[in-house]
Amino acid sequence: MPNNIDEKEQTHTLILMPSGRHGDIKHDTTVLEAARQLGVEIESICGGRQTCEKCRVIVEEGHFDKHGITSSEDHLSARTPKEIELLEKLGTPEQRLSCNSHILGDVLITVPEGSRAQKQLIRKTATERTIEIDPVVRQVYVEVDVAELGEHRGDWGRLQDALAKQWDLNNLKIDLRTLRKLQETLRKKDWAVTATVWNDREVIDVQPGYQEGMYGLAVDVGSTTVATYLCDLRTGELLATESMMNPQVSFGEDLMSRVSFAMTRPDGLDKMHEAIIDAINKLAARAARAAGIRSRQIHEITLAGNTTMVHILLGINPIELGGAPFALANRDAMDIKAHELGLRLHPGAYAHILPSQAGHVGADNVGVLIAEQPYLQDKIILTVDVGTNAEIVLSSKDWMYSASSPTGPAFEGGQISAGMRAAPGAIERVRIDPDSKRARFRVIGEERWSNEWKLGADAPLEEQPKHLAAGICGSGIIEVIAELFLAGLLTPDGRFNSNVESVFMQWDQEKRQGAYILATEEQTSSGKRLLVTQDDVRNIQLAKAALYAGAKLLMMRAGVDSVDQVILAGAFGSYIDPKHASILGLIPDCDLEKVHAVGNAAGDGARIVLLNQEKRAEAQQISSRVRYIETAVDEDFQNEFVKAIHIPHKSDPYPHLEGILPKTTAPPPRRKRRHRRSRKP
């Protein structure tokens, strides 16, 4: 057995199938981390804590001549009792959890389809908006005095004087990297230059002669996805949009998991910081390439994100956000040199981070407010950014209240037995026939509903679906639970109704739990039934109750009992059907025609402040105006949470769903058990 020093230096061959990726991996690296190093993404929602069940892999045994290795499960670390228990419960005892399997020797591993992190369909497109163009960056053409013998101002002094005289720009400073090339630049075109000035304070670029071209990048750093918008700062034109999954997802699906990752790993913060910076650099390069420019021509970047994302982006440990009093490092807007963060943009570019509101309502929510401006409306408006951490604002013209609700990852496929992100093959729409109880559904990547599919070897190839059902994403799980309730298969307390007989229900008599067959074996890519389990229903109930309770708490603090309009923001919010969201009790009762999805409003807010400097001051002002309500320590929140677990709610009425909800939404009465007195012998 090699000693500890040798082990640290030792490497082993890892081969991943079916991708064929292979490489030398350091001794004792987990399969999950090793796969990531080789560019193979394995689904891991819990961040390696052996709870999400998603990262299962298969170890292939034997000698593989093609690869020149002998693979064995003995070449991985031993199974822990927790892993054994979980895999036996899932009925896959022969598999391994990649997060718990450390590589100790050469090994060939198959990543089954259900464990592969498919390329997510990112739904964060920019919305068409009217924006007054007044960016903080501008370009000016100046003619500078020629240097003469005996005149000692210095070339920067000459440029300063020219900018003051010709453009009334005074008290400027110059970026060091720009100063280094100034003398050469001034002499290229006979002392005529184009200066790029940031915020009328600093010269960040000098180019010879007359030049045009100022570009900015707006970024929404979401917990799950990152979206970027490349704009022409002179015209405001949106030149390119690029998006990708936030690579931090592999370290933890929800915010608390990432806070925990930073707390428990010495290198946790560095890994997550480097991951998000690398992601933004890649997106910036892709956007620039699509627009026909270089990322070095991007003169400014604006960033919106929740408080945890902003802390990690800045390299600040988010540990204080993990518990009361949930203190921020800084609430106000910030302007930082982009290169200090590791962003590969123009050498003099600045990064503007939008202000936050409080512990768990961040810059992304301020971006939503800037984009939608509910604070200018006479109506009572509830704005909800639905995600792993729902951010809620209740507002009118005279007041604003905000809160954060810990909904968790269930709405995005986490904690759901067949859950997955919005990728091809994910069920996103569901309808259940109230009589037959049969479901028809639509998957991403296939326009037809499942009842229109032609299946089997005899079906013409062109009539077969492009994608079979691989799982169910957030919008699909909301719809299926609402539809199960409408069809009478779920009672208001969320239990499967044992009084309803259906071939699409299966029952575990030992646990006394039901499950609904959403897709049959021939309709799925795995060849196995796709079920909606009692635990799935419960997890969605808990998530929706948290969101509703947060909204209700704000209504109580504002002294209102109804809302005039509901705005659903965010990529996920855009695909929620208002009717099903109301049936489930995700949002308070409202006229369904007044429930609107507005897309990625946080990204739109970042784009607005990129193109209009006055909106930055407005963002700072409204972030201070909002009264934040801390749900985590509020007794009313807990009370409202319990009542909101029922579908749609235990006591709050839904008059706008009259004629849609079942006639009775009360849970079935329970028979009182009579206690018999024991007779004396």
Side-chain angles (χ1 to χ4, degrees), residues 14 30 33 58 66 247 382 405 488 518 521 551 584 592 601 616 671:
L14 170 65
T30 66
E33 175 62 27
I58 300 167
K66 178 181 177 181
L382 181 70
S405 284
L518 176 58
E521 292 89 337
L584 183 64
L592 296 182
R616 301 187 182 193
R671 293 182 178 180

Side-chain angles (χ1 to χ4, degrees), residues 461-507:
L461 186 62
E462 63 274 10
E463 294 185 19
Q464 295 182 20
K466 296 177 182 177
H467 298 279
L468 293 172
I472 185 166
C473 65
S475 60
I477 195 68
I478 286 176
E479 291 196 6
V480 72
I481 293 176
E483 288 283 324
L484 286 169
F485 177 64
L486 291 179
L489 291 167
L490 284 181
T491 59
D493 62 1
R495 291 176 297 174
F496 280 107
N497 192 343
S498 58
N499 294 325
V500 177
E501 294 185 4
S502 173
V503 295
F504 298 103
M505 288 295 302
Q506 65 180 43
W507 294 89

Side-chain angles (χ1 to χ4, degrees), residues 324-335:
F326 311 104
L328 296 168
N330 179 36
R331 190 180 78 165
D332 297 329
M334 290 173 275
D335 292 298

Side-chain angles (χ1 to χ4, degrees), residues 49 254-261 263 308 321-323 326 360:
R49 291 172 176 78
D254 57 81
L255 300 182
M256 287 301 104
S257 294
R258 293 182 208 176
V259 172
S260 176
F261 189 80
M263 291 170 58
T308 302
L321 299 173
F326 311 104
H360 287 294

Side-chain angles (χ1 to χ4, degrees), residues 59 69 88 99 124 203 236 348 359 361 378 383 385 449 567 569 606 634:
V59 181
I69 69 165
E88 286 181 349
C99 66
K124 289 205 170 188
V203 176
V361 180
D378 291 324
T383 305
D385 193 342
W449 288 79
I567 295 174
D634 196 298

Side-chain angles (χ1 to χ4, degrees), residues 43-61:
E43 193 75 59
S44 176
I45 290 175
C46 68
R49 291 172 176 78
Q50 303 180 55
T51 58
C52 75
E53 317 164 355
K54 306 293 185 185
C55 70
R56 287 172 282 169
V57 295
I58 300 167
V59 181
E60 305 295 348
E61 299 274 350

